[in-house]
Coordinates of all heavy atoms in Angstrom, one line a residue:
I1 N -36.5 -77.9 -52.2 CA -37.5 -78.7 -51.5 C -37.2 -80.2 -51.5 O -37.4 -80.9 -50.5 CB -38.9 -78.5 -52.1 CG1 -39.4 -77.1 -51.9 CG2 -39.9 -79.5 -51.6 CD1 -40.6 -76.7 -52.7
L2 N -36.7 -80.7 -52.6 CA -36.4 -82.1 -52.8 C -35.0 -82.5 -52.5 O -34.6 -83.7 -52.7 CB -36.8 -82.5 -54.2 CG -38.3 -82.4 -54.6 CD1 -38.5 -82.4 -56.1 CD2 -39.1 -83.5 -53.9
D3 N -34.2 -81.6 -52.0 CA -32.8 -81.9 -51.7 C -32.0 -82.4 -53.0 O -31.3 -83.4 -52.9 CB -32.7 -82.9 -50.6 CG -31.4 -82.9 -49.9 OD1 -30.6 -81.9 -50.0 OD2 -31.0 -83.9 -49.2
L4 N -32.2 -81.7 -54.1 CA -31.6 -82.1 -55.3 C -30.6 -81.1 -55.9 O -30.1 -81.2 -57.0 CB -32.7 -82.4 -56.4 CG -33.6 -83.6 -56.3 CD1 -34.7 -83.6 -57.3 CD2 -32.7 -84.9 -56.5
G5 N -30.3 -80.1 -55.1 CA -29.5 -79.0 -55.5 C -28.2 -79.4 -56.1 O -27.8 -78.9 -57.2
E6 N -27.5 -80.3 -55.5 CA -26.2 -80.7 -56.0 C -26.2 -81.7 -57.2 O -25.2 -82.0 -57.8 CB -25.4 -81.4 -54.8 CG -26.0 -82.7 -54.3 CD -25.3 -83.3 -53.1 OE1 -24.2 -83.9 -53.3 OE2 -25.9 -83.2 -52.0
Y7 N -27.4 -82.1 -57.6 CA -27.5 -83.0 -58.7 C -28.0 -82.3 -60.0 O -28.2 -83.0 -61.0 CB -28.5 -84.2 -58.4 CG -28.1 -84.9 -57.1 CD1 -28.9 -84.8 -56.0 CD2 -26.9 -85.7 -57.1 CE1 -28.5 -85.4 -54.8 CE2 -26.6 -86.4 -55.9 CZ -27.4 -86.2 -54.8 OH -27.0 -86.9 -53.6
L8 N -28.3 -81.0 -60.0 CA -28.9 -80.4 -61.1 C -28.2 -80.5 -62.4 O -28.7 -80.5 -63.5 CB -29.2 -78.9 -60.8 CG -30.3 -78.6 -59.8 CD1 -30.4 -77.1 -59.4 CD2 -31.7 -79.1 -60.3
A9 N -26.8 -80.6 -62.3 CA -26.0 -80.7 -63.6 C -25.8 -82.1 -64.0 O -25.2 -82.4 -65.1 CB -24.7 -80.0 -63.4
R10 N -26.3 -83.1 -63.2 CA -26.0 -84.5 -63.6 C -27.1 -85.0 -64.6 O -28.2 -84.5 -64.6 CB -26.0 -85.4 -62.3 CG -24.9 -85.1 -61.4 CD -24.7 -86.1 -60.3 NE -23.8 -85.7 -59.3 CZ -23.6 -86.4 -58.2 NH1 -24.1 -87.6 -58.0 NH2 -22.7 -86.0 -57.3
K11 N -26.7 -86.1 -65.2 CA -27.7 -86.8 -66.1 C -28.4 -87.9 -65.3 O -27.8 -88.4 -64.3 CB -27.0 -87.5 -67.3 CG -26.2 -86.5 -68.2 CD -27.2 -85.9 -69.2 CE -26.5 -84.8 -70.1 NZ -25.5 -85.4 -71.0
P12 N -29.6 -88.3 -65.6 CA -30.4 -89.3 -64.9 C -29.6 -90.6 -64.6 O -29.8 -91.2 -63.6 CB -31.6 -89.5 -65.7 CG -31.8 -88.3 -66.5 CD -30.4 -87.7 -66.8
K13 N -28.8 -91.0 -65.6 CA -28.1 -92.3 -65.4 C -27.1 -92.3 -64.2 O -26.7 -93.3 -63.7 CB -27.3 -92.7 -66.7 CG -26.2 -91.8 -67.0 CD -25.5 -92.3 -68.3 CE -24.3 -91.4 -68.6 NZ -23.6 -91.7 -69.9
A14 N -26.7 -91.1 -63.7 CA -25.8 -91.0 -62.6 C -26.5 -90.9 -61.3 O -25.9 -90.7 -60.2 CB -25.0 -89.7 -62.8
L15 N -27.9 -91.1 -61.3 CA -28.7 -91.0 -60.1 C -29.2 -92.4 -59.7 O -29.3 -93.3 -60.5 CB -29.9 -90.1 -60.3 CG -29.6 -88.7 -60.8 CD1 -30.9 -87.9 -60.9 CD2 -28.7 -87.9 -59.8
S16 N -29.5 -92.5 -58.4 CA -30.1 -93.7 -57.9 C -31.6 -93.7 -58.2 O -32.2 -92.6 -58.6 CB -30.0 -93.8 -56.4 OG -30.8 -92.8 -55.7
G17 N -32.3 -94.8 -58.0 CA -33.8 -94.9 -58.3 C -34.5 -93.8 -57.5 O -35.4 -93.2 -58.0
G18 N -34.2 -93.7 -56.2 CA -34.9 -92.7 -55.4 C -34.7 -91.3 -55.8 O -35.6 -90.5 -55.8
Q19 N -33.4 -91.0 -56.3 CA -33.1 -89.6 -56.7 C -33.9 -89.4 -58.1 O -34.4 -88.3 -58.3 CB -31.6 -89.5 -56.9 CG -30.9 -89.4 -55.6 CD -29.4 -89.7 -55.8 OE1 -28.9 -90.2 -56.8 NE2 -28.6 -89.3 -54.8
R20 N -34.0 -90.4 -58.9 CA -34.7 -90.2 -60.2 C -36.2 -89.9 -59.9 O -36.8 -89.1 -60.6 CB -34.6 -91.4 -61.1 CG -33.2 -91.6 -61.7 CD -33.1 -92.8 -62.6 NE -31.8 -93.3 -62.7 CZ -31.4 -94.4 -63.3 NH1 -32.3 -95.2 -63.9 NH2 -30.1 -94.7 -63.4
Q21 N -36.7 -90.6 -58.9 CA -38.1 -90.4 -58.6 C -38.3 -89.0 -58.1 O -39.3 -88.3 -58.3 CB -38.6 -91.4 -57.6 CG -40.1 -91.5 -57.4 CD -40.9 -91.6 -58.7 OE1 -41.2 -90.6 -59.4 NE2 -41.2 -92.8 -59.1
R22 N -37.4 -88.5 -57.3 CA -37.5 -87.1 -56.8 C -37.4 -86.1 -58.0 O -38.0 -85.0 -57.9 CB -36.4 -86.8 -55.8 CG -36.5 -87.7 -54.5 CD -36.1 -87.0 -53.2 NE -34.7 -86.5 -53.2 CZ -33.6 -87.1 -52.9 NH1 -33.7 -88.4 -52.6 NH2 -32.5 -86.5 -52.9
V23 N -36.6 -86.4 -59.0 CA -36.5 -85.5 -60.2 C -37.9 -85.5 -60.9 O -38.4 -84.4 -61.3 CB -35.4 -86.0 -61.2 CG1 -35.5 -85.1 -62.4 CG2 -34.0 -85.9 -60.5
A24 N -38.5 -86.7 -61.0 CA -39.8 -86.8 -61.6 C -40.8 -85.9 -60.8 O -41.7 -85.3 -61.3 CB -40.3 -88.2 -61.7
M25 N -40.7 -86.0 -59.4 CA -41.5 -85.1 -58.6 C -41.3 -83.7 -58.8 O -42.2 -82.9 -58.9 CB -41.2 -85.5 -57.1 CG -41.7 -86.8 -56.6 SD -43.5 -86.9 -56.4 CE -43.7 -85.6 -55.2
G26 N -40.0 -83.3 -58.9 CA -39.6 -81.9 -59.2 C -40.2 -81.4 -60.5 O -40.6 -80.2 -60.5
R27 N -40.2 -82.2 -61.5 CA -40.7 -81.8 -62.8 C -42.2 -81.5 -62.6 O -42.7 -80.6 -63.3 CB -40.5 -83.0 -63.8 CG -40.9 -82.6 -65.2 CD -40.6 -83.8 -66.1 NE -41.1 -85.0 -65.6 CZ -40.8 -86.2 -66.0 NH1 -39.9 -86.3 -67.0 NH2 -41.3 -87.3 -65.5
A28 N -42.9 -82.2 -61.8 CA -44.3 -81.9 -61.5 C -44.5 -80.6 -60.7 O -45.3 -79.8 -61.0 CB -45.0 -83.1 -60.8
I29 N -43.6 -80.5 -59.7 CA -43.8 -79.3 -58.8 C -43.5 -78.0 -59.5 O -44.3 -77.0 -59.2 CB -42.7 -79.5 -57.6 CG1 -43.2 -80.6 -56.7 CG2 -42.6 -78.2 -56.8 CD1 -42.1 -81.0 -55.7
V30 N -42.5 -77.9 -60.4 CA -42.2 -76.7 -61.0 C -43.4 -76.1 -61.9 O -43.5 -74.9 -62.1 CB -41.0 -76.8 -61.9 CG1 -39.7 -77.1 -61.1 CG2 -41.1 -77.7 -63.1
R31 N -44.3 -77.0 -62.3 CA -45.4 -76.6 -63.1 C -46.5 -75.9 -62.3 O -47.4 -75.3 -62.8 CB -46.0 -77.8 -63.9 CG -45.0 -78.3 -64.9 CD -45.5 -79.5 -65.6 NE -46.8 -79.3 -66.2 CZ -47.5 -80.3 -66.8 NH1 -47.1 -81.5 -66.7 NH2 -48.7 -80.0 -67.3
E32 N -46.4 -76.0 -60.9 CA -47.3 -75.4 -60.0 C -48.8 -75.7 -60.5 O -49.6 -74.8 -60.6 CB -47.1 -73.9 -59.9 CG -45.7 -73.7 -59.3 CD -45.3 -72.2 -59.2 OE1 -46.1 -71.3 -59.7 OE2 -44.3 -71.8 -58.7
P33 N -49.1 -77.0 -60.7 CA -50.5 -77.3 -61.2 C -51.5 -77.2 -60.1 O -51.2 -77.1 -58.9 CB -50.3 -78.7 -61.6 CG -49.3 -79.3 -60.6 CD -48.4 -78.2 -60.3
Q34 N -52.8 -77.3 -60.5 CA -53.9 -77.4 -59.5 C -53.9 -78.8 -58.9 O -54.4 -79.0 -57.7 CB -55.2 -77.1 -60.2 CG -55.6 -75.7 -60.2 CD -57.1 -75.5 -60.6 OE1 -57.4 -75.6 -61.8 NE2 -57.9 -75.3 -59.6

C-alpha cells in the first residue's frame, strides 16, 4: 500500500524523511485499529 516493498530489509537511517514517515504509517496500518 505504501510502496515500501523494496525497503523492508533496510534500517531507518538508510531512508529519506518521507520514507521514514511512510514506515511510521505502516506500523499503524498493520495493527488494523479502529
Side-chain angles (χ1 to χ4, degrees):
I1 290 170
L2 294 163
D3 200 19
L4 288 170
E6 63 186 286
Y7 305 110
L8 287 174
R10 294 190 192 180
K11 299 278 177 68
K13 68 179 181 184
L15 304 180
S16 68
Q19 289 163 343
R20 287 181 203 176
Q21 192 54 273
R22 298 215 305 272
V23 175
M25 289 286 301
R27 189 176 49 195
I29 291 168
V30 297
R31 293 175 58 189
E32 298 176 356
Q34 271 193 282

